[in-house]
Amino acid sequence: MIHPKHNAKWASLALLTLIGYVLSALLLLPPNAAAKGEQISAKQLASMSRLSFTLRDAKQTAYTVYIFANNEQKSTLTEENGWTNNKKGDKSYTGTYRAALVKKGATYGTVQAAKLDLNTIIFPQTWNFVVKSKGTGTPDMLMITDWGTSNFNEVKTYIVRSGELRRVTYVDNKGKKIDDSYSASREDGIRTLSGARVQFKNYNNLQFVYGVNTFKLNVNQLQLRLEDTRNLRTKAWPNSGVGDRAYLKSLKDAALKGMMPGRTDIKIGMTLQNAQKKLGKPNSRSNEEWGAFYYYSKFGVGFDSYMHELTNKSRIAVFDLYNEKQNLSPWNVRIWMGKPSSEYYNEVVGGYEMVYQLGNHAIVFNYEEEESLIDFTSIY
């Protein structure tokens, strides 16, 4: 049996050991280490921070975001940095950077819980920046970027909501999480539009197009949700034209009714005689695999008879749409139309066919190779 006096002795030793561990841990902390929620004067934040940005929340209240690191180390570049466009001799800073938020007019700021995942800052710098909102009810967005590839950066997005700096998640058109960051071209790769929309531009090496994806910000859910996609041959932002979402909806709506997209007066089953009255003389004619085709500048009309069998009572069986200028990709078609009814390689036409069955009719997207853009679309 252990005497109570010995119990007291061991309890005292255990308490002293615990105190020693706590003191040692405190001594190992960086000097003036800031904890989330800690209040720091605005003047002190201005002097200790490496970067600062002005952000407005959805009510257009202005805040200053100060970015600092207690363990910051300074050095000088010994060679050029191609990603950041910095030159030899530029000042480089490394550390575990954190953010503090100061409301306009306040004398103290609050250290934020949001993780920046930022470890290096080189001056002069342009790859961390603010995208100003357009329209009321939408906050500004702070973009913290990292190297992605030679074509793009990985972008993390932050907004001020309810007086706190919060990170925004990217989700697809169905609300499923894509990632905590998104890709954008290194120069001129992000812009805002009205209606809380943000566009990200990126060059696609496989299809040789600039992909422009549009997201809409939901402040309450802290999400940027995919609103539209579009591929372009030029680097300039699209200020006109139709995105994939609306374009594919127009195809689907027309196919469900057996109509030619954009024309309510031309339908599958219409006689050759009536079709020619409305469409006029074709540019050319020939036989295809399943019947005669009349070719116009933007579409082709296929009939249920071959050339030598055509009569005024022959009927329209299929529309071919020459939509290569839309620069549709099979990937984007799947985003907006879902999983196809079938998809296969057609040796007769020498390419892939992606079929969507829509009631009594169907849409078929034709493309040469798996990574190709769509050449033409058929409705039958």
Side-chain angles (χ1 to χ4, degrees):
M1 180 176 178
I2 300 175
H3 196 276
K5 184 170 77 171
H6 292 290
N7 281 336
K9 177 182 178 182
W10 288 113
S12 299
L13 287 173
L15 180 60
L16 288 172
T17 302
L18 177 61
I19 293 172
Y21 277 127
V22 171
L23 289 174
S24 298
L26 290 172
L27 290 172
L28 290 174
L29 286 174
N32 301 318
K36 64 179 181 181
E38 181 180 340
Q39 296 284 302
I40 303 176
S41 73
K43 289 183 178 180
Q44 184 179 351
L45 284 170
S47 64
M48 65 188 283
S49 296
R50 191 55 53 197
L51 295 174
S52 64
F53 303 94
T54 299
L55 278 182
R56 297 172 300 169
D57 64 12
K59 297 179 180 180
Q60 304 304 295
T61 301
Y63 292 80
T64 300
V65 179
Y66 289 103
I67 295 177
F68 65 95
N70 294 113
N71 58 348
E72 187 177 62
Q73 300 291 321
K74 179 181 177 181
S75 62
T76 301
L77 291 185
T78 57
E79 59 183 10
E80 181 180 342
N81 188 321
W83 168 49
T84 61
N85 290 325
N86 285 102
K87 301 176 181 179
K88 178 181 178 180
D90 285 347
K91 302 302 180 184
S92 176
Y93 301 86
T94 58
T96 305
Y97 286 96
R98 306 185 63 184
L101 203 61
V102 178
K103 187 175 182 180
K104 184 179 180 180
T107 56
Y108 279 83
T110 305
V111 177
Q112 301 296 291
K115 292 183 178 180
L116 300 179
D117 297 326
L118 178 63
N119 300 305
T120 302
I121 299 172
I122 309 173
F123 284 101
Q125 76 92 40
T126 57
W127 62 98
N128 302 306
F129 53 90
V130 171
V131 176
K132 295 292 185 182
S133 66
K134 291 186 177 180
T136 58
T138 306
D140 298 336
M141 293 172 225
L142 172 62
M143 305 297 185
I144 303 293
T145 73
D146 289 323
W147 169 270
T149 70
S150 58
N151 285 338
F152 62 82
N153 286 345
E154 290 292 340
V155 181
K156 294 161 287 188
T157 302
Y158 300 82
I159 63 171
V160 175
R161 191 192 73 175
S162 302
E164 295 182 354
L165 187 69
R166 303 294 299 272
R167 187 164 177 173
V168 176
T169 299
Y170 294 85
V171 299
D172 64 16
N173 55 311
K174 296 179 180 179
K176 182 179 179 181
K177 182 178 178 179
I178 299 173
D179 206 340
D180 288 323
S181 61
Y182 204 73
S183 59
S185 297
R186 195 151 291 119
E187 296 179 3
D188 191 31
I190 303 173
R191 74 168 179 175
T192 53
L193 302 174
S194 59
R197 293 172 298 156
V198 188
Q199 287 188 322
F200 295 82
K201 181 169 56 180
N202 195 1
Y203 185 70
N204 188 321
N205 284 327
L206 295 175
Q207 297 168 340
F208 308 108
V209 292
Y210 289 91
V212 177
N213 293 337
T214 305
F215 289 80
K216 185 169 184 177
L217 176 65
N218 185 315
V219 176
N220 292 330
Q221 295 182 5
L222 293 171
Q223 291 180 346
L224 278 164
R225 184 167 182 153
L226 186 64
E227 281 276 300
D228 207 352
T229 58
R230 189 175 177 188
N231 292 321
L232 304 166
R233 292 293 182 184
T234 60
K235 188 177 181 180
W237 288 105
N239 292 317
S240 62
V242 179
D244 294 338
R245 182 178 183 177
Y247 180 76
L248 291 168
K249 184 179 185 301
S250 71
L251 295 191
K252 183 177 179 180
D253 290 345
L256 284 167
K257 299 175 182 178
M259 295 180 177
M260 179 182 292
R263 296 285 298 261
T264 59
D265 57 340
I266 308 296
K267 300 180 179 180
I268 290 173
M270 178 180 285
T271 64
L272 169 61
Q273 183 178 29
N274 289 334
Q276 281 204 282
K277 287 180 181 179
K278 297 178 181 295
L279 296 175
K281 184 179 178 180
N283 297 334
S284 61
R285 301 180 296 175
S286 72
N287 279 327
E288 293 287 352
E289 183 181 1
W290 305 110
F293 254 83
Y294 279 26
Y295 303 103
Y296 295 86
S297 60
K298 295 181 179 179
F299 56 85
V301 180
F303 296 91
D304 60 1
S305 305
Y306 290 102
M307 291 293 296
H308 65 284
E309 301 171 329
L310 279 179
T311 68
N312 285 336
K313 293 184 179 181
S314 296
R315 295 186 180 276
I316 295 176
V318 61
F319 301 124
D320 274 359
L321 310 175
Y322 311 145
N323 51 4
E324 68 275 5
K325 290 186 178 179
Q326 188 66 29
N327 298 311
L328 276 173
S329 70
W331 174 263
N332 286 349
V333 170
R334 293 186 192 97
I335 288 176
W336 302 112
M337 294 193 64
K339 183 180 179 180
S341 304
S342 61
E343 189 172 8
Y344 52 87
Y345 185 82
N346 188 334
E347 293 184 357
V348 176
V349 299
Y352 290 88
E353 294 189 345
M354 186 164 54
V355 182
Y356 288 87
Q357 198 68 42
L358 301 167
N360 295 325
H361 303 284
I363 302 177
V364 183
F365 297 95
N366 300 268
Y367 53 101
E368 289 186 6
E369 299 177 357
E370 291 184 357
E371 299 298 339
S372 298
L373 296 175
I374 289 167
D375 293 321
F376 67 95
T377 303
S378 300
I379 296 177
Y380 63 83

